[in-house]
């Protein structure tokens, strides 16, 4: 898992919304070998108003409504950290209007100079999901991710307290 407090390189599949769905009137953008497609984006449950990031996409098929793509996510100054993990959805916007959905398959942290940061730490072990006893009514409900906790108005997460500047990776 990666908390987006700095730039991230992402790889995944983008699905462009049709004009009827509120997407681009001209259809999917045409990639150019000299320029990347740039737009704004956010990671739900954030919105375009409280979690906007910049996104640059490349290596996607011209005119395809669904295509593999690579990109870079850059949080805007003053926005709080967002959790970006394989399987999450990044909503691609032009202004605040959603025009595409990127399903993230791979995430790499980028250093301030744009190079990929490699971690020497071993990945955290997966939790044992085999419950040996049923949960008691007094136990709080299980939440499978911190993102799910943000859907409720009473929950708080440490990322909500993150400084409004680029934090450590």
């Amino acid at each position: 898992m990666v908390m987006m407090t700095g730039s991230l390189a992402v790889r995944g599949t983008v699905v462009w919304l049709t004009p009827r769905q509120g997407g681009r009137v001209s259809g999917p953008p045409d990639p150019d070998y000299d320029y990347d497609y740039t737009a704004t984006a956010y990671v739900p449950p954030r919105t375009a108003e409280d979690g906007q990031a910049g996104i640059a996409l490349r290596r996607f098929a011209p005119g395809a409504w669904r295509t593999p793509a690579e990109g870079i996510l850059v949080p805007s100054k003053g926005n709080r950290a967002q959790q970006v993990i394989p399987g999450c959805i990044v909503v691609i916007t032009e202004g605040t209007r959603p025009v595409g959905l990127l399903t993230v398959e791979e995430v790499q942290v980028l250093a301030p100079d744009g190079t990929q940061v490699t971690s020497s730490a071993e990945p955290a072990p997966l939790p044992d999901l085999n419950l040996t006893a049923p949960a008691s009514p007094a136990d709080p409900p299980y939440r499978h991710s911190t993102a799910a906790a943000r859907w409720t108005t009473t929950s708080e997460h440490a990322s909500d307290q993150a400084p409004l500047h680029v934090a450590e990776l």
Side-chain angles (χ1 to χ4, degrees):
M1 288 190 231
V2 176
M3 196 64 73
M4 184 172 64
T5 57
S7 299
L8 301 176
V10 294
R11 186 182 55 76
T13 301
V14 65
V15 176
W16 299 105
L17 300 178
T18 66
R20 196 166 189 191
Q21 294 170 317
R24 296 168 47 98
V25 174
S26 59
D30 288 327
D32 186 305
Y33 290 105
D34 295 328
Y35 300 99
D36 297 335
Y37 168 77
T38 57
T40 52
Y42 63 89
V43 180
R46 301 279 191 217
T47 66
E49 288 78 26
D50 73 353
Q52 200 166 61
I55 190 167
L57 292 177
R58 64 171 54 162
R59 295 191 179 113
F60 57 93
W65 292 98
R66 178 186 167 131
T67 178
E70 295 177 2
I72 296 175
L73 277 171
V74 181
S76 64
K77 189 173 184 173
N79 278 324
R80 296 179 174 161
Q82 301 174 65
Q83 188 178 46
V84 180
I85 60 172
C88 79
I89 301 291
V90 175
V91 180
I92 302 166
T93 61
E94 290 182 354
T96 57
R97 180 174 54 105
V99 297
L101 304 171
L102 173 69
T103 302
V104 175
E105 297 164 5
E106 185 179 323
V107 181
Q108 294 290 323
V109 177
L110 296 178
D113 65 359
T115 59
Q116 289 187 357
V117 175
T118 56
S119 173
S120 60
E122 291 185 28
L126 295 174
D128 181 12
L129 299 179
N130 296 319
L131 298 176
T132 56
S136 70
D139 290 340
Y142 172 73
R143 292 196 172 111
H144 68 281
S145 73
T146 56
R150 292 190 195 126
W151 284 101
T152 62
T153 56
T154 59
S155 296
E156 286 191 15
H157 184 266
S159 68
D160 291 334
Q161 307 305 321
L164 298 179
H165 56 82
V166 176
E168 62 186 31
L169 295 176

